[in-house]
Amino acid sequence: ASYINFNAGTLGPVMVEGRISSSAIVGAGSDVGGGASILGVLSGTDGNPISIGENTLLGANSTCGIPLGDACIIDGGVAIFAGTKVKVNPDELAKIKAANPEVNLESKTTFRADAFQGLNGLHFRQDSTTGEIVLKRSTREVKLNADLH
């Protein structure tokens, strides 16, 4: 079952199978997978309103605690909070910077997830051998099935 709390909602057709907490807004064409949670201002974001861009995918049972731009992906089961440590290899960091030229990111390999809040084209994954959260430049276009939405 899906759940959309008070003062929350979507900005167009969105697949919602998870939870959108208070004050969270989800952009058109996005998919909030089964059991996925978008935290609200009352549920652990220190009052930071969460917005999810267009054509973004939150995989099943994932948790999003930072604002995301367009065309982002959080893989199923992955939890991203402001303080989550994220590994980014230098080649992927260069791709993320190219997709978000207005942002000035340090050249390093470990960041807090909130360093990337609001950016476009991010893909958060978990390395199955180390357990580390890894960030890559997303190149996959998320599209809802027009016949169903």
Side-chain angles (χ1 to χ4, degrees):
S2 62
Y3 176 78
I4 301 176
N5 205 334
F6 66 95
N7 293 331
T10 68
L11 301 175
V14 172
M15 170 71 104
V16 179
E17 298 174 297
R19 293 175 292 278
I20 304 174
S21 292
S22 63
S23 303
I25 301 295
V26 180
S30 292
D31 184 339
V32 181
S37 292
I38 302 169
L39 300 183
V41 295
L42 303 176
S43 58
T45 66
D46 291 329
N48 185 18
I50 302 298
S51 60
I52 303 298
E54 295 182 356
N55 304 313
T56 288
L57 170 65
L58 303 181
N61 298 313
S62 65
T63 303
C64 182
I66 64 169
L68 295 175
D70 297 337
C72 293
I73 298 171
I74 298 179
D75 278 358
V78 173
I80 301 298
F81 303 104
T84 301
K85 298 296 182 212
V86 177
K87 295 279 189 172
V88 186
N89 94 24
D91 291 340
E92 293 297 325
L93 186 60
K95 293 175 188 176
I96 291 167
K97 287 179 178 181
N100 299 277
E102 71 286 352
V103 94
N104 185 18
L105 293 166
E106 293 180 58
S107 290
K108 58 183 187 176
T109 57
T110 303
F111 295 83
R112 283 175 46 112
D114 59 359
F116 299 95
Q117 65 185 1
L119 299 188
N120 300 317
L122 306 176
H123 188 166
F124 293 92
R125 312 177 75 163
Q126 185 170 30
D127 184 311
S128 63
T129 58
T130 66
E132 294 175 322
I133 303 299
V134 177
L135 179 60
K136 296 182 177 244
R137 168 72 170 97
S138 175
T139 57
R140 183 171 158 235
E141 185 176 355
V142 176
K143 283 190 167 189
L144 296 179
N145 182 330
D147 292 337
L148 298 175
H149 304 97

